[in-house]
């Protein structure tokens, strides 16, 4: 497995949308699809998904990328959505008049969406021997497969 190490701590840019008029549950359905994906792939996914929650999320992702480009001078091709979360906001409550002087409550939920983009061009990648697939097999089987391959096959 490849282990990543940050070289610069200032690699994150975010955008927050507050009091968006939809339930948090419906927004989470879309957010779960884009978490961890690249910026360009996310824009394509959001344009093609048929949900109403896609449009405000699309605007937030685009806004976060604009913040990254303008404020931090990041390249859009190397941006990845590192964190995306949806929290419940306040609920707007109204009363709808009904027959015989009664009234029924109407609840209109809101949500707060946070999108965090991270620049991956500032990472250094290094091989980690701890996660070598040969060593994993060695632990399971009890034999070092690397040595067996080198003994049996002459190069």
């Amino acid at each position: 497995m490849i282990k990543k190490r940050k070289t610069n701590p200032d690699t994150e840019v975010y955008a927050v949308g507050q009091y968006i008029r939809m339930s948090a549950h419906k927004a989470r359905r879309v957010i779960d699809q884009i978490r961890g994906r690249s910026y360009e792939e996310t824009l394509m996914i959001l344009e093609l998904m048929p949900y109403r929650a896609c449009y405000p999320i699309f605007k937030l992702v685009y806004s976060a990328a604009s913040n990254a480009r303008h404020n931090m001078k990041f390249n859009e091709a190397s941006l990845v959505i590192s964190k995306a979360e949806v929290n419940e906001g306040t609920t707007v409550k109204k009363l709808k008049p009904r027959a015989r002087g009664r009234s029924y409550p109407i609840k209109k939920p809101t949500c707060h969406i946070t999108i965090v983009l991270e620049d991956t061009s500032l990472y250094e990648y290094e091989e980690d021997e701890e996660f070598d697939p040969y060593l994993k097999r060695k632990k399971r089987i009890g034999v070092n497969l690397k040595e067996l391959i080198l003994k049996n096959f002459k190069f």
Side-chain angles (χ1 to χ4, degrees), residues 15-99:
V16 179
Q18 292 185 326
Y19 303 104
I20 296 173
R21 250 298 286 125
M22 74 178 61
S23 73
H25 181 72
K26 291 177 184 175
R28 276 190 201 108
R29 179 172 56 181
V30 176
I31 287 286
D32 290 340
Q33 297 295 318
I34 65 169
R35 192 177 290 121
R37 296 187 189 262
S38 70
Y39 166 69
E40 294 164 347
E41 187 180 2
T42 299
L43 291 183
M44 285 189 290
I45 288 171
L46 289 174
E47 283 179 5
L48 297 174
M49 285 179 88
Y51 303 119
R52 191 180 73 110
C54 291
Y55 183 67
I57 294 171
F58 178 86
K59 285 174 63 174
L60 274 173
V61 171
Y62 192 79
S63 173
S66 296
N67 291 343
R69 184 177 59 246
H70 185 264
N71 298 341
M72 306 289 279
K73 307 287 191 262
F74 289 156
N75 185 10
E76 289 180 349
S78 62
L79 293 176
V80 172
I81 297 181
S82 63
K83 190 166 123 180
E85 61 183 26
V86 180
N87 298 318
E88 290 184 9
T90 57
T91 302
V92 178
K93 296 173 184 170
K94 295 183 177 180
L95 292 175
K96 183 170 177 91
R98 301 304 297 228

Side-chain angles (χ1 to χ4, degrees), residues 89-148:
T90 57
T91 302
V92 178
K93 296 173 184 170
K94 295 183 177 180
L95 292 175
K96 183 170 177 91
R98 301 304 297 228
R100 298 171 134 192
R102 296 182 183 157
S103 61
Y104 286 169
I106 295 176
K107 296 178 183 175
K108 296 189 174 185
T110 62
C111 65
H112 308 310
I113 301 174
T114 305
I115 304 287
V116 179
L117 294 178
E118 192 170 21
D119 189 22
T120 57
S121 65
L122 300 174
Y123 279 119
E124 283 182 8
Y125 291 96
E126 60 185 26
E127 288 292 329
D128 191 6
E129 293 179 15
E130 190 177 303
F131 293 103
D132 188 16
Y134 288 112
L135 294 178
K136 275 190 167 183
R137 288 188 194 127
K138 177 184 171 187
K139 288 177 185 173
R140 276 187 293 192
I141 299 172
V143 180
N144 190 346
L145 291 176
K146 212 176 213 181
E147 290 177 3
L148 283 176

